[in-house]
Amino acid sequence: MRLPAAIPAGARLVVRIAQGSDPEDGRPKFRDYVGHVVDWDGHRLILDRDPAANGSRPGERVTLPAEDMVALKPVPERRSPRPAPPDLSR
Protein backbone atom coordinates (compact mmCIF):
# COMPACT_ATOMS: atom_id res chain seq x y z
CA MET A 1 0.00 0.00 0.00
CA ARG A 2 1.25 3.48 -0.80
CA LEU A 3 1.32 5.55 2.40
CA PRO A 4 1.13 9.34 2.60
CA ALA A 5 4.30 11.34 3.18
CA ALA A 6 2.63 13.46 5.87
CA ILE A 7 -0.27 12.85 8.24
CA PRO A 8 -1.27 15.79 10.43
CA ALA A 9 -1.16 15.28 14.20
CA GLY A 10 -4.66 15.08 15.64
CA ALA A 11 -6.22 13.49 12.53
CA ARG A 12 -8.61 10.64 13.37
CA LEU A 13 -7.87 7.49 11.34
CA VAL A 14 -8.69 3.84 11.03
CA VAL A 15 -5.59 1.76 10.33
CA ARG A 16 -5.82 -1.90 9.27
CA ILE A 17 -2.83 -4.05 10.25
CA ALA A 18 -2.06 -7.47 8.74
CA GLN A 19 -1.53 -10.14 11.39
CA GLY A 20 -0.60 -13.04 9.11
CA SER A 21 -2.57 -16.14 8.23
CA ASP A 22 -4.90 -18.12 10.45
CA PRO A 23 -3.19 -21.49 11.14
CA GLU A 24 -6.50 -23.37 10.91
CA ASP A 25 -7.99 -22.08 7.65
CA GLY A 26 -5.08 -20.17 6.05
CA ARG A 27 -7.11 -16.99 5.59
CA PRO A 28 -5.41 -13.64 6.26
CA LYS A 29 -6.19 -11.99 9.60
CA PHE A 30 -6.34 -8.25 10.31
CA ARG A 31 -6.76 -5.89 13.26
CA ASP A 32 -8.20 -2.38 13.03
CA TYR A 33 -7.05 0.55 15.14
CA VAL A 34 -9.10 3.76 15.39
CA GLY A 35 -7.66 6.83 17.00
CA HIS A 36 -5.87 10.16 16.73
CA VAL A 37 -2.43 10.60 15.19
CA VAL A 38 0.32 11.65 17.57
CA ASP A 39 3.26 11.29 15.14
CA TRP A 40 4.03 9.86 11.68
CA ASP A 41 7.56 9.64 10.31
CA GLY A 42 6.90 7.47 7.26
CA HIS A 43 8.05 4.29 9.05
CA ARG A 44 5.90 4.18 12.17
CA LEU A 45 2.61 5.70 13.22
CA ILE A 46 1.99 6.62 16.85
CA LEU A 47 -1.73 6.63 17.53
CA ASP A 48 -3.80 7.44 20.61
CA ARG A 49 -6.26 4.58 20.18
CA ASP A 50 -9.86 5.40 21.09
CA PRO A 51 -11.48 3.44 23.91
CA ALA A 52 -14.10 0.92 22.81
CA ALA A 53 -17.54 2.50 22.44
CA ASN A 54 -19.05 -0.16 24.73
CA GLY A 55 -16.40 0.34 27.42
CA SER A 56 -14.78 -3.08 26.95
CA ARG A 57 -11.31 -1.64 26.18
CA PRO A 58 -9.67 1.54 27.49
CA GLY A 59 -7.86 3.96 25.22
CA GLU A 60 -4.14 3.42 24.76
CA ARG A 61 -1.13 4.74 22.85
CA VAL A 62 0.07 2.31 20.17
CA THR A 63 2.97 2.33 17.71
CA LEU A 64 2.16 0.74 14.35
CA PRO A 65 4.89 -0.18 11.84
CA ALA A 66 4.31 1.01 8.26
CA GLU A 67 5.25 -2.38 6.75
CA ASP A 68 2.24 -4.02 8.48
CA MET A 69 -0.34 -1.44 7.29
CA VAL A 70 -2.72 -2.57 4.56
CA ALA A 71 -5.32 0.24 4.77
CA LEU A 72 -5.45 3.74 6.16
CA LYS A 73 -8.38 6.15 5.98
CA PRO A 74 -9.72 9.18 7.82
CA VAL A 75 -12.89 8.74 9.89
CA PRO A 76 -15.15 11.37 11.47
CA GLU A 77 -15.24 12.02 15.20
CA ARG A 78 -17.72 10.03 17.26
CA ARG A 79 -20.97 11.81 17.89
CA SER A 80 -21.67 12.56 21.51
CA PRO A 81 -24.83 10.93 22.87
CA ARG A 82 -27.95 13.06 22.73
CA PRO A 83 -29.42 14.19 26.02
CA ALA A 84 -32.65 12.45 26.98
CA PRO A 85 -35.76 14.33 25.88
CA PRO A 86 -37.72 15.99 28.71
CA ASP A 87 -40.53 13.96 30.23
CA LEU A 88 -43.70 15.70 29.04
CA SER A 89 -46.15 13.16 30.45
CA ARG A 90 -46.95 15.18 33.61
XYZ file of all heavy atoms in Angstrom:
695
model
N 0.840 -1.171 0.000
C 0.000 0.000 0.000
C 0.891 1.242 0.000
O 1.874 1.318 0.734
C -0.889 -0.014 1.244
C -1.760 1.190 1.360
S -2.695 1.183 2.893
C -2.442 2.870 3.329
N 0.512 2.217 -0.782
C 1.249 3.478 -0.805
C 0.759 4.348 0.354
O -0.433 4.653 0.459
C 1.017 4.178 -2.128
C 1.830 5.420 -2.251
C 1.630 6.064 -3.573
N 2.130 7.421 -3.469
C 2.676 8.067 -4.459
N 2.759 7.510 -5.631
N 3.114 9.286 -4.283
N 1.666 4.759 1.223
C 1.318 5.547 2.397
C 1.630 7.015 2.157
O 2.556 7.348 1.417
C 2.100 5.035 3.611
C 1.771 3.604 4.021
C 2.756 3.105 5.054
C 0.355 3.520 4.558
N 0.877 7.907 2.786
C 1.126 9.344 2.603
C 2.455 9.767 3.225
O 2.912 9.185 4.210
C -0.049 10.012 3.306
C -0.562 8.991 4.257
C -0.257 7.651 3.662
N 3.045 10.807 2.652
C 4.302 11.342 3.182
C 4.077 12.072 4.500
O 4.948 12.080 5.361
C 4.941 12.267 2.160
N 2.923 12.699 4.650
C 2.626 13.455 5.866
C 1.205 13.149 6.319
O 0.297 13.024 5.500
C 2.772 14.946 5.613
N 1.048 12.999 7.618
C -0.270 12.849 8.241
C -0.299 13.849 9.380
O 0.559 13.803 10.271
C -0.505 11.427 8.780
C -0.362 10.381 7.670
C -1.883 11.323 9.419
C -0.418 8.945 8.169
N -1.265 14.773 9.383
C -1.275 15.787 10.433
C -1.590 15.199 11.810
O -2.442 14.318 11.945
C -2.361 16.765 9.994
C -3.198 16.022 9.018
C -2.338 14.955 8.416
N -0.885 15.692 12.822
C -1.159 15.282 14.201
C -2.587 15.683 14.546
O -3.060 16.746 14.156
C -0.174 15.939 15.158
N -3.286 14.804 15.243
C -4.664 15.076 15.635
C -5.690 14.506 14.680
O -6.868 14.427 15.022
N -5.274 14.090 13.481
C -6.215 13.495 12.531
C -6.735 12.177 13.097
O -5.989 11.418 13.717
C -5.538 13.258 11.191
N -8.017 11.894 12.895
C -8.608 10.640 13.369
C -8.626 9.665 12.199
O -9.146 9.972 11.121
C -10.018 10.862 13.906
C -10.599 9.615 14.569
C -11.808 9.966 15.415
N -12.253 8.823 16.168
C -13.359 8.144 15.895
N -14.145 8.512 14.910
N -13.701 7.094 16.626
N -8.038 8.485 12.398
C -7.871 7.495 11.345
C -8.331 6.123 11.797
O -8.366 5.830 12.987
C -6.384 7.337 10.983
C -5.586 8.538 10.554
C -4.130 8.134 10.387
C -6.129 9.098 9.264
N -8.610 5.279 10.796
C -8.692 3.844 11.034
C -7.529 3.243 10.252
O -7.296 3.584 9.092
C -10.053 3.225 10.632
C -10.347 3.406 9.165
C -10.101 1.750 10.990
N -6.762 2.397 10.929
C -5.592 1.760 10.332
C -5.804 0.257 10.419
O -6.042 -0.281 11.511
C -4.297 2.144 11.081
C -3.091 1.508 10.416
C -4.150 3.653 11.159
N -5.697 -0.441 9.285
C -5.825 -1.901 9.268
C -4.429 -2.498 9.197
O -3.634 -2.145 8.341
C -6.664 -2.362 8.089
C -6.769 -3.885 8.036
C -7.901 -4.334 7.189
N -9.124 -4.121 7.983
C -10.326 -4.401 7.540
N -10.511 -4.869 6.325
N -11.377 -4.185 8.308
N -4.136 -3.406 10.129
C -2.832 -4.053 10.249
C -2.980 -5.535 9.906
O -3.884 -6.208 10.414
C -2.295 -3.909 11.698
C -2.103 -2.444 12.061
C -1.016 -4.697 11.896
C -1.010 -1.752 11.318
N -2.079 -6.038 9.063
C -2.059 -7.469 8.738
C -1.421 -8.225 9.896
O -0.388 -7.813 10.425
C -1.259 -7.705 7.464
N -2.058 -9.331 10.285
C -1.534 -10.143 11.388
C -1.103 -11.523 10.925
O -0.872 -12.393 11.747
C -2.581 -10.272 12.482
C -2.830 -8.975 13.204
C -3.623 -9.191 14.454
O -4.714 -9.750 14.417
N -3.088 -8.752 15.571
N -1.014 -11.741 9.620
C -0.600 -13.043 9.108
C -1.794 -13.911 8.792
O -2.934 -13.452 8.723
N -1.525 -15.190 8.596
C -2.569 -16.145 8.226
C -3.044 -16.931 9.437
O -2.260 -17.242 10.338
C -2.040 -17.120 7.187
O -1.682 -16.435 6.023
N -4.328 -17.270 9.412
C -4.899 -18.124 10.449
C -4.336 -19.529 10.261
O -4.401 -20.076 9.164
C -6.419 -18.129 10.330
C -7.084 -18.877 11.462
O -6.779 -20.071 11.651
O -7.914 -18.269 12.145
N -3.780 -20.148 11.306
C -3.193 -21.487 11.141
C -4.219 -22.569 10.810
O -3.872 -23.577 10.212
C -2.525 -21.763 12.489
C -3.097 -20.788 13.443
C -3.611 -19.628 12.648
N -5.486 -22.346 11.159
C -6.498 -23.372 10.907
C -7.036 -23.341 9.490
O -7.196 -24.374 8.861
C -7.643 -23.231 11.904
C -7.218 -23.564 13.319
C -8.376 -23.471 14.292
O -9.540 -23.492 13.858
O -8.098 -23.375 15.493
N -7.368 -22.133 8.977
C -7.987 -22.083 7.650
C -7.131 -21.375 6.590
O -7.496 -21.331 5.434
C -9.376 -21.433 7.716
C -9.350 -20.011 8.232
O -8.284 -19.390 8.279
O -10.443 -19.512 8.587
N -5.987 -20.797 6.999
C -5.084 -20.172 6.050
C -5.504 -18.797 5.552
O -4.809 -18.191 4.750
N -6.641 -18.299 6.036
C -7.112 -16.992 5.586
C -6.344 -15.881 6.297
O -5.968 -16.032 7.458
C -8.606 -16.853 5.853
C -9.423 -17.797 5.000
C -10.889 -17.794 5.281
N -11.409 -16.623 5.936
C -12.604 -16.536 6.457
N -13.416 -17.570 6.412
N -13.015 -15.437 7.031
N -6.130 -14.750 5.603
C -5.413 -13.641 6.255
C -6.245 -13.040 7.394
O -7.471 -12.984 7.320
C -5.211 -12.631 5.130
C -6.159 -13.005 4.065
C -6.482 -14.459 4.223
N -5.548 -12.603 8.433
C -6.189 -11.990 9.600
C -5.715 -10.549 9.741
O -4.552 -10.236 9.459
C -5.856 -12.764 10.882
C -6.365 -14.195 10.856
C -7.874 -14.233 10.768
C -8.375 -15.652 10.638
N -9.775 -15.735 10.373
N -6.623 -9.673 10.187
C -6.343 -8.253 10.310
C -6.832 -7.741 11.653
O -7.700 -8.324 12.267
C -7.054 -7.463 9.200
C -6.717 -7.936 7.824
C -7.551 -8.819 7.156
C -5.562 -7.501 7.190
C -7.236 -9.264 5.890
C -5.248 -7.937 5.923
C -6.082 -8.822 5.263
N -6.273 -6.594 12.086
C -6.758 -5.888 13.265
C -6.875 -4.417 12.890
O -5.987 -3.866 12.240
C -5.806 -6.060 14.435
C -6.200 -5.146 15.607
C -5.743 -5.617 16.933
N -6.420 -6.862 17.264
C -5.913 -7.781 18.061
N -4.732 -7.610 18.589
N -6.591 -8.870 18.320
N -7.975 -3.796 13.299
C -8.197 -2.383 13.026
C -7.942 -1.554 14.281
O -8.312 -1.959 15.384
C -9.638 -2.140 12.557
C -9.914 -2.724 11.188
O -8.948 -3.008 10.452
O -11.093 -2.885 10.833
N -7.315 -0.404 14.078
C -7.045 0.547 15.144
C -7.681 1.875 14.751
O -7.450 2.363 13.643
C -5.537 0.760 15.329
C -4.813 -0.458 15.835
C -4.376 -1.451 14.973
C -4.569 -0.611 17.193
C -3.708 -2.568 15.441
C -3.898 -1.730 17.675
C -3.472 -2.708 16.791
O -2.819 -3.809 17.270
N -8.476 2.458 15.635
C -9.104 3.755 15.393
C -8.614 4.710 16.464
O -8.658 4.392 17.656
C -10.647 3.655 15.450
C -11.270 5.028 15.239
C -11.166 2.661 14.425
N -8.133 5.867 16.021
C -7.662 6.832 16.998
C -7.088 8.068 16.349
O -7.230 8.285 15.146
N -6.427 8.883 17.159
C -5.872 10.164 16.726
C -4.358 10.066 16.581
O -3.678 9.529 17.452
C -6.234 11.263 17.729
C -7.693 11.539 17.759
N -8.555 10.835 18.558
C -8.441 12.420 17.067
C -9.790 11.280 18.368
N -9.750 12.239 17.471
N -3.858 10.627 15.497
C -2.434 10.600 15.193
C -1.668 11.474 16.181
O -2.045 12.620 16.426
C -2.178 11.089 13.749
C -0.692 11.225 13.467
C -2.849 10.170 12.751
N -0.603 10.909 16.732
C 0.324 11.655 17.570
C 1.543 12.033 16.729
O 1.982 13.170 16.718
C 0.760 10.834 18.804
C 1.828 11.557 19.591
C -0.444 10.505 19.670
N 2.078 11.046 15.964
C 3.259 11.291 15.144
C 3.309 10.279 14.003
O 2.898 9.129 14.164
C 4.531 11.182 15.998
C 5.781 11.584 15.247
O 5.747 12.614 14.544
O 6.795 10.866 15.353
N 3.827 10.722 12.849
C 4.026 9.865 11.681
C 5.331 10.281 11.029
O 5.516 11.426 10.656
C 2.866 10.017 10.707
C 3.107 9.461 9.343
C 3.217 10.154 8.179
C 3.231 8.082 8.983
N 3.413 9.306 7.135
C 3.432 8.018 7.592
C 3.219 6.892 9.694
C 3.604 6.822 6.906
C 3.380 5.697 9.019
C 3.568 5.666 7.647
N 6.270 9.333 10.921
C 7.563 9.643 10.305
C 7.795 8.883 9.006
O 8.897 8.883 8.469
C 8.699 9.384 11.295
C 8.865 7.914 11.655
O 8.148 7.056 11.101
O 9.727 7.614 12.503
N 6.769 8.233 8.488
C 6.899 7.465 7.258
C 7.237 6.001 7.494
O 7.091 5.176 6.600
N 7.691 5.671 8.713
C 8.054 4.288 9.049
C 7.223 3.725 10.193
O 7.050 2.515 10.293
C 9.538 4.202 9.421
C 10.435 4.677 8.333
N 10.645 3.961 7.178
C 11.139 5.823 8.195
C 11.462 4.630 6.395
N 11.771 5.778 6.981
N 6.737 4.619 11.049
C 5.903 4.177 12.172
C 4.865 5.258 12.459
O 5.118 6.446 12.282
C 6.735 3.884 13.416
C 7.432 5.104 13.959
C 8.014 4.892 15.329
N 8.814 5.994 15.778
C 8.385 7.234 16.042
N 7.137 7.532 15.875
N 9.199 8.165 16.463
N 3.708 4.804 12.877
C 2.607 5.700 13.225
C 2.338 5.540 14.708
O 2.131 4.420 15.185
C 1.357 5.333 12.422
C 0.088 6.114 12.730
C 0.248 7.567 12.280
C -1.107 5.481 12.039
N 2.363 6.641 15.438
C 1.994 6.623 16.854
C 0.572 7.152 16.928
O 0.276 8.236 16.423
C 2.953 7.464 17.706
C 4.378 6.919 17.579
C 2.506 7.468 19.168
C 5.422 7.753 18.272
N -0.295 6.355 17.522
C -1.729 6.625 17.528
C -2.255 6.549 18.951
O -1.926 5.622 19.688
C -2.409 5.561 16.664
C -3.829 5.738 16.211
C -3.908 6.830 15.148
C -4.349 4.440 15.624
N -3.052 7.542 19.364
C -3.803 7.439 20.611
C -5.097 6.717 20.267
O -6.030 7.314 19.725
C -4.098 8.822 21.209
C -2.944 9.370 22.014
O -2.093 8.567 22.459
O -2.881 10.594 22.203
N -5.120 5.422 20.537
C -6.264 4.582 20.176
C -7.470 4.946 21.033
O -7.365 5.114 22.260
C -5.895 3.120 20.393
C -6.912 2.144 19.866
C -6.417 0.731 20.042
N -7.313 -0.199 19.383
C -7.224 -1.506 19.497
N -6.277 -2.051 20.235
N -8.072 -2.274 18.859
N -8.625 5.080 20.386
C -9.861 5.400 21.091
C -10.280 4.234 21.983
O -10.072 3.074 21.628
C -10.998 5.662 20.099
C -10.811 6.927 19.295
O -9.883 7.708 19.583
O -11.602 7.139 18.352
N -10.909 4.531 23.121
C -11.479 3.436 23.910
C -12.656 2.822 23.149
O -13.271 3.473 22.302
C -11.951 4.122 25.194
C -12.040 5.562 24.864
C -11.116 5.834 23.720
N -12.959 1.577 23.443
C -14.096 0.916 22.807
C -15.381 1.650 23.169
O -15.547 2.111 24.309
C -14.181 -0.541 23.240
N -16.294 1.774 22.213
C -17.543 2.495 22.439
C -18.387 1.842 23.534
O -19.127 2.523 24.236
C -18.342 2.583 21.143
N -18.254 0.520 23.701
C -19.050 -0.162 24.727
C -18.321 -0.266 26.065
O -18.800 -0.912 26.987
C -19.457 -1.552 24.240
C -18.286 -2.479 24.030
O -17.143 -2.138 24.333
N -18.547 -3.662 23.514
N -17.132 0.339 26.167
C -16.398 0.340 27.418
C -15.583 -0.905 27.687
O -14.991 -1.050 28.755
N -15.489 -1.823 26.715
C -14.781 -3.080 26.949
C -13.261 -2.947 26.869
O -12.546 -3.845 27.318
C -15.249 -4.141 25.947
O -14.914 -3.750 24.619
N -12.748 -1.838 26.297
C -11.308 -1.645 26.184
C -10.984 -0.176 26.410
O -11.592 0.690 25.798
C -10.821 -2.060 24.789
C -9.304 -2.041 24.628
C -8.842 -2.080 23.178
N -9.150 -0.804 22.530
C -10.058 -0.620 21.590
N -10.752 -1.621 21.144
N -10.283 0.566 21.082
N -10.043 0.140 27.293
C -9.674 1.544 27.495
C -8.850 2.061 26.324
O -8.315 1.279 25.530
C -8.842 1.503 28.778
C -8.260 0.132 28.801
C -9.292 -0.762 28.158
N -8.735 3.375 26.224
C -7.863 3.963 25.218
C -6.413 3.660 25.553
O -6.072 3.365 26.694
N -5.555 3.693 24.539
C -4.143 3.416 24.756
C -3.321 4.046 23.637
O -3.837 4.354 22.571
C -3.877 1.916 24.799
C -4.218 1.205 23.498
C -4.026 -0.307 23.555
O -3.161 -0.773 24.305
O -4.739 -0.991 22.829
N -2.048 4.250 23.882
C -1.129 4.735 22.853
C -0.460 3.520 22.222
O 0.079 2.667 22.929
C -0.086 5.663 23.447
C 0.834 6.229 22.371
C 1.557 7.448 22.819
N 0.618 8.558 22.864
C 0.956 9.801 23.180
N 2.202 10.094 23.483
N 0.051 10.761 23.203
N -0.518 3.437 20.886
C 0.068 2.311 20.166
C 1.025 2.832 19.100
O 0.859 3.927 18.570
C -1.007 1.409 19.513
C -1.860 0.727 20.557
C -1.883 2.188 18.556
N 2.039 2.036 18.789
C 2.970 2.327 17.710
C 2.787 1.254 16.652
O 2.915 0.058 16.942
C 4.425 2.335 18.227
O 4.539 3.331 19.246
C 5.396 2.654 17.105
N 2.457 1.665 15.432
C 2.156 0.741 14.351
C 3.210 0.863 13.252
O 3.423 1.955 12.719
C 0.772 1.044 13.778
C -0.365 1.085 14.809
C -1.634 1.624 14.177
C -0.590 -0.295 15.384
N 3.885 -0.235 12.887
C 4.894 -0.177 11.838
C 4.253 -0.059 10.457
O 3.247 -0.709 10.168
C 5.652 -1.495 11.989
C 4.729 -2.401 12.723
C 3.805 -1.535 13.528
N 4.855 0.767 9.600
C 4.312 1.014 8.260
C 4.258 -0.261 7.428
O 3.326 -0.444 6.634
C 5.152 2.074 7.546
N 5.216 -1.169 7.589
C 5.248 -2.376 6.754
C 4.077 -3.317 7.019
O 3.761 -4.165 6.185
C 6.579 -3.124 6.889
C 6.889 -3.633 8.271
C 7.730 -2.664 9.095
O 7.916 -1.505 8.686
O 8.168 -3.082 10.185
N 3.396 -3.174 8.163
C 2.242 -4.023 8.481
C 0.911 -3.405 8.054
O -0.126 -4.067 8.118
C 2.191 -4.315 9.977
C 3.360 -5.159 10.446
O 4.015 -5.796 9.599
O 3.614 -5.188 11.670
N 0.907 -2.133 7.646
C -0.339 -1.441 7.294
C -0.829 -1.881 5.917
O -0.063 -1.927 4.968
C -0.128 0.073 7.289
C 0.171 0.636 8.633
S 0.418 2.417 8.514
C 1.081 2.747 10.122
N -2.125 -2.219 5.849
C -2.722 -2.574 4.564
C -3.815 -1.595 4.159
O -4.218 -1.567 2.998
C -3.267 -4.023 4.559
C -2.127 -5.019 4.698
C -4.291 -4.245 5.651
N -4.314 -0.780 5.083
C -5.323 0.235 4.766
C -5.225 1.347 5.796
O -4.903 1.111 6.959
C -6.716 -0.368 4.772
N -5.526 2.558 5.315
C -5.454 3.743 6.157
C -6.475 4.723 5.614
O -6.456 5.024 4.422
C -4.040 4.321 6.057
C -3.706 5.602 6.762
C -3.510 5.325 8.241
C -2.430 6.186 6.188
N -7.409 5.162 6.465
C -8.376 6.153 5.984
C -8.867 7.027 7.127
O -8.927 6.589 8.274
C -9.544 5.500 5.265
C -10.498 4.747 6.126
C -11.657 4.226 5.282
C -12.716 3.644 6.179
N -13.890 3.237 5.444
N -9.193 8.276 6.799
C -9.725 9.175 7.818
C -11.157 8.784 8.183
O -11.904 8.281 7.342
C -9.679 10.547 7.155
C -9.660 10.271 5.698
C -9.018 8.929 5.511
N -11.522 8.998 9.440
C -12.888 8.742 9.892
C -13.355 9.935 10.712
O -12.551 10.604 11.359
C -13.012 7.436 10.720
C -12.766 6.221 9.866
C -12.086 7.430 11.906
N -14.647 10.236 10.698
C -15.154 11.375 11.474
C -15.119 11.084 12.967
O -15.061 9.936 13.400
C -16.592 11.534 10.982
C -16.961 10.209 10.417
C -15.694 9.574 9.923
N -15.173 12.150 13.742
C -15.242 12.021 15.196
C -16.528 11.316 15.584
O -17.538 11.397 14.885
C -15.199 13.400 15.858
C -13.892 14.142 15.675
C -12.741 13.503 16.421
O -12.966 12.812 17.435
O -11.601 13.698 15.982
N -16.503 10.644 16.732
C -17.720 10.029 17.264
C -18.694 11.125 17.654
O -18.294 12.163 18.179
C -17.418 9.211 18.512
C -16.748 7.924 18.257
C -16.607 7.186 19.571
N -15.889 5.939 19.363
C -15.324 5.259 20.329
N -15.385 5.685 21.569
N -14.697 4.143 20.072
N -19.953 10.855 17.428
C -20.975 11.809 17.887
C -21.183 11.595 19.373
O -21.178 10.478 19.864
C -22.288 11.579 17.155
C -22.203 11.909 15.685
C -23.527 11.870 15.030
N -24.174 10.570 15.248
C -25.340 10.226 14.757
N -26.018 11.078 14.016
N -25.851 9.046 14.985
N -21.391 12.689 20.080
C -21.675 12.556 21.510
C -23.133 12.138 21.667
O -23.983 12.502 20.858
C -21.395 13.862 22.242
O -22.151 14.898 21.680
N -23.443 11.378 22.692
C -24.827 10.932 22.872
C -25.757 12.117 23.099
O -25.387 13.104 23.724
C -24.779 10.029 24.102
C -23.469 10.277 24.744
C -22.561 10.910 23.734
N -26.949 11.999 22.555
C -27.947 13.063 22.729
C -28.508 13.029 24.144
O -28.705 11.956 24.705
C -29.106 12.853 21.755
C -28.715 13.057 20.333
C -29.929 12.885 19.459
N -29.547 13.000 18.061
C -30.367 12.813 17.071
N -31.622 12.489 17.301
N -29.946 12.931 15.834
N -28.795 14.189 24.694
C -29.424 14.188 26.024
C -30.843 13.620 25.917
O -31.491 13.718 24.875
C -29.435 15.667 26.420
C -29.229 16.430 25.165
C -28.534 15.524 24.195
N -31.309 13.033 26.980
C -32.652 12.454 26.984
C -33.688 13.565 26.828
O -33.532 14.645 27.416
C -32.894 11.699 28.289
N -34.719 13.310 26.035
C -35.762 14.333 25.884
C -36.490 14.548 27.215
O -36.578 13.629 28.036
C -36.691 13.761 24.829
C -36.431 12.308 24.812
C -35.021 12.117 25.278
N -37.011 15.736 27.450
C -37.724 15.987 28.713
C -38.983 15.122 28.792
O -39.612 14.807 27.788
C -38.054 17.468 28.650
C -37.975 17.832 27.213
C -37.004 16.886 26.564
N -39.326 14.754 30.003
C -40.526 13.955 30.232
C -41.741 14.901 30.234
O -41.923 15.676 31.161
C -40.413 13.214 31.553
C -41.589 12.278 31.804
O -42.421 12.124 30.882
O -41.682 11.727 32.908
N -42.556 14.820 29.188
C -43.701 15.703 29.042
C -45.013 15.047 29.439
O -46.091 15.564 29.184
C -43.803 16.173 27.592
C -42.551 16.887 27.043
C -42.733 17.210 25.579
C -42.282 18.159 27.835
N -44.941 13.907 30.112
C -46.150 13.160 30.452
C -46.850 13.686 31.705
O -47.887 13.174 32.070
C -45.808 11.675 30.641
O -44.910 11.524 31.709
N -46.334 14.673 32.370
C -46.953 15.176 33.608
C -48.081 16.098 33.343
O -48.299 16.881 32.599
C -45.933 15.868 34.472
C -44.916 14.895 34.972
C -43.977 15.627 35.877
N -42.745 14.909 35.906
C -41.744 15.225 36.652
N -41.819 16.262 37.439
N -40.649 14.535 36.659
